Amino acid sequence: MTATTAPQEEQLEVWIDQGLCTGDGICVQYAPDVFELDVDGLAYVKGDDGELRHTPRTAVLVPLVAAQDVIDSANECPGDCIHVRRQHDGVEVYGPEAPTA
């Protein structure tokens, strides 16, 4: 998707495919409240409890204040491993499986 602004009314969720993660940490720079590098050098999403989600394909809700930063992370990720989807229907709107315009 080529949109650059987050819809303010839609709740988004995000997950990272660690198999594609390059460990560059760009996502952590954009949205440190949502992403964190672990000791293995790969990025993970973290929940509102601050705990990293290590189970594959486990998504966390994106705080509305961080939505644009998470979208920017997905768009700039060199590993193309960040998946952002709408919570209500699970459709990926940013990331490698998002439909292109």
Side-chain angles (χ1 to χ4, degrees), residues 21-24 37-44:
C21 181
T22 59
D24 289 274
L37 292 175
D38 204 1
V39 295
D40 61 5
L42 301 177
Y44 292 84

Side-chain angles (χ1 to χ4, degrees), residues 7-83:
Q8 296 301 313
E9 68 281 353
E10 286 197 294
Q11 181 67 57
L12 300 174
E13 53 188 19
V14 61
W15 64 278
I16 295 177
D17 181 345
Q18 280 75 31
L20 298 174
C21 181
T22 59
D24 289 274
I26 291 171
C27 57
V28 177
Q29 292 174 10
Y30 273 109
D33 292 338
V34 178
F35 304 109
E36 186 173 317
L37 292 175
D38 204 1
V39 295
D40 61 5
L42 301 177
Y44 292 84
V45 293
K46 56 184 173 179
D48 56 6
D49 59 0
E51 294 295 318
L52 302 185
R53 303 304 193 243
H54 289 98
T55 304
R57 299 181 72 91
T58 299
V60 299
L61 290 177
V62 176
L64 289 177
V65 297
Q68 189 60 54
D69 292 333
V70 169
I71 291 166
D72 291 342
S73 297
N75 289 335
E76 298 296 323
C77 177
D80 205 20
C81 65
I82 300 173
H83 299 261

